[in-house]
Amino acid sequence: MKKIGFLSFGHWSPSPQSGTRSGADALLQSIDLAVAAEELGADGAYYRVHHFARQLASPFPLLAAAGAKTKRIELGTAVIDMRYENPLYMAEDAGAADLIAGGRLQLGISRGSPEQVIDGWRYFGYVPEEGKSDADMARRHSEIFLDLLRGEGFAQPNPRPMFPNPPGLLRLEPFSAGLRERIWWGAATDATAVWAAKLGMNLQSSTLKFDESGEPLHVQQAKQIRAYRAAWKEAGHAREPRVSVSRSIFALVNDMDRAYFGGSEGEDHFGYIEPEKRAVFGRTYAAEPDKLVEQLKADEAIAEADTLLLTVPNQLGVDYNAHVIESILKHVAPALGWR
């Protein structure tokens, strides 16, 4: 069995060709797709966070709204860029959204990727300490956030409070027990995957990764996952970790599928998303279901992961994206033993 969810970047464009023409469309359709995915039997609705872009940005109002309209499906992010986050305010937002959803949040966090503006986190009021990088700052914010989610008191109470306090130091409220174990780290390298394991975070690996060997993405990801699991075991954590990988997968079952994705290239690509850092970008899988099953059998990273996130073309509308998800659940997953 494998958990299968969708991952949406929430793109929107005023173009007449887009089915998602405004920020309101992107948000409301994201909620509707979570509802539709739950009805189809999918396991997760995940959203990407990007700033200064016509995409989803502030995740917690969306997660809270989706949580209020669904009952079972996991609701998550992949990923929140921690360079931009106040970890204390984030802990309050996350606790509230998780309580609304009944403990279904699965929050992916990370250093993030290049944004639409240069050093965008500076506009949010965050500057790395002297001698530190923006990646160091993101990891520091993450460590503070993780500590807060333990629910331990740390703030000295006012001796003359407006309302009565419980005894001892105070923690942030609302607190959601168990959320600390549902935090994931989006790792682009083997080293950050090992770091995440030591801190007791689950692992998310995307459709791209910094190139560390020249091998195909799925081979490098599989090695990353094995390194993560070894580090987790060495750290002695009591629970079993979870691991997700993201993929662009389209089962061609009708003429519309073939028109949209029939010509998709089936190869990885190597390139640069940051200077001096070569990355490998994963292929798009698009074929008739029987061929797709054979192709996916050879993907080592999918085999290693317990969760698969299907990247969806959200501007094609809720109905078509629900069809994309249903096609995988119905025509592909059973043949691979995922259902």
Side-chain angles (χ1 to χ4, degrees):
M1 299 293 289
K2 194 180 297 290
K3 289 184 180 292
I4 301 174
F6 73 81
L7 171 59
S8 174
F9 279 47
H11 293 283
W12 60 272
S13 167
S15 167
Q17 285 74 43
S18 174
T20 309
R21 300 186 184 181
S22 69
D25 286 345
L27 289 162
L28 294 172
Q29 290 176 18
S30 294
I31 298 167
D32 289 344
L33 186 56
V35 173
E38 180 173 78
E39 292 173 350
L40 291 169
D43 301 295
Y46 286 73
Y47 306 102
R48 185 67 167 92
V49 178
H50 277 295
H51 300 288
F52 300 102
R54 290 175 173 176
Q55 298 177 40
L56 298 174
S58 54
F60 293 108
L62 171 58
L63 293 169
K69 296 200 71 173
T70 56
K71 301 292 186 184
R72 176 194 57 80
I73 197 168
E74 293 179 346
L75 302 164
T77 53
V79 290
I80 298 172
D81 188 333
M82 293 301 289
R83 296 174 297 181
Y84 289 77
E85 294 296 324
N86 177 327
L88 284 86
Y89 194 72
M90 182 176 171
E92 291 182 341
D93 277 353
D98 195 42
L99 291 171
I100 290 170
R104 288 182 283 132
L105 256 60
Q106 303 284 342
L107 291 182
I109 63 176
S110 186
R111 190 218 70 173
S113 59
E115 294 285 344
Q116 299 298 102
V117 301
I118 298 170
D119 295 348
W121 27 269
R122 293 182 183 273
Y123 296 99
F124 280 56
Y126 303 114
V127 179
E129 297 176 7
E130 186 175 351
K132 301 290 186 179
S133 68
D134 61 313
D136 295 327
M137 180 174 68
R139 285 190 284 270
R140 179 58 183 151
H141 286 180
S142 300
E143 289 167 348
I144 295 170
F145 178 61
L146 292 174
D147 284 342
L148 293 168
L149 293 185
R150 299 183 191 279
E152 298 173 357
F154 62 91
Q156 188 68 38
N158 187 337
R160 296 180 179 178
M162 183 178 294
F163 306 104
N165 283 324
L169 299 177
L170 301 183
R171 67 185 183 188
L172 292 173
E173 302 289 354
F175 172 71
S176 184
L179 181 56
R180 172 63 178 80
E181 295 187 352
R182 288 178 274 116
I183 306 301
W184 306 58
W185 182 260
T189 66
D190 292 359
T192 51
V194 168
W195 173 81
K198 292 177 180 178
L199 268 66
M201 288 186 280
N202 300 313
L203 176 66
Q204 289 180 337
S205 201
S206 182
T207 51
L208 66 86
K209 179 184 179 295
F210 288 128
D211 177 31
E212 297 184 86
S213 69
E215 296 169 296
L217 172 70
H218 75 99
V219 175
Q220 294 197 47
Q221 274 188 328
K223 291 180 178 179
Q224 180 193 49
I225 293 168
R226 288 191 286 269
Y228 165 81
R229 287 209 170 103
W232 183 280
K233 183 177 181 180
E234 184 178 350
H237 300 301
R239 66 179 179 88
E240 287 296 314
R242 288 185 60 184
V243 175
S244 75
V245 295
S246 304
R247 289 291 185 272
S248 298
I249 305 174
F250 302 97
L252 307 182
V253 300
N254 61 31
D255 290 341
M256 185 175 291
D257 298 330
R258 285 183 278 274
Y260 281 138
F261 301 107
S264 299
E265 296 183 18
E267 296 181 357
D268 290 348
H269 295 278
F270 290 84
Y272 293 84
I273 59 171
E274 295 184 7
E276 311 298 328
K277 287 188 177 181
R278 188 171 185 251
V280 54
F281 302 82
R283 59 177 291 187
T284 293
Y285 290 96
E288 284 69 25
D290 57 338
K291 295 180 181 177
L292 205 54
V293 168
E294 294 305 311
Q295 292 172 1
L296 294 172
K297 282 181 181 178
D299 192 307
E300 295 181 20
I302 292 179
E304 290 279 353
D306 59 79
T307 301
L308 172 64
L309 301 183
L310 306 170
T311 62
V312 293
N314 74 279
Q315 289 188 86
L316 295 181
V318 173
D319 290 344
Y320 183 73
N321 280 283
H323 159 74
V324 168
I325 296 167
E326 183 179 27
S327 294
I328 300 301
L329 294 176
K330 181 178 179 180
H331 300 294
V332 177
L336 287 163
W338 300 346
R339 281 292 186 270

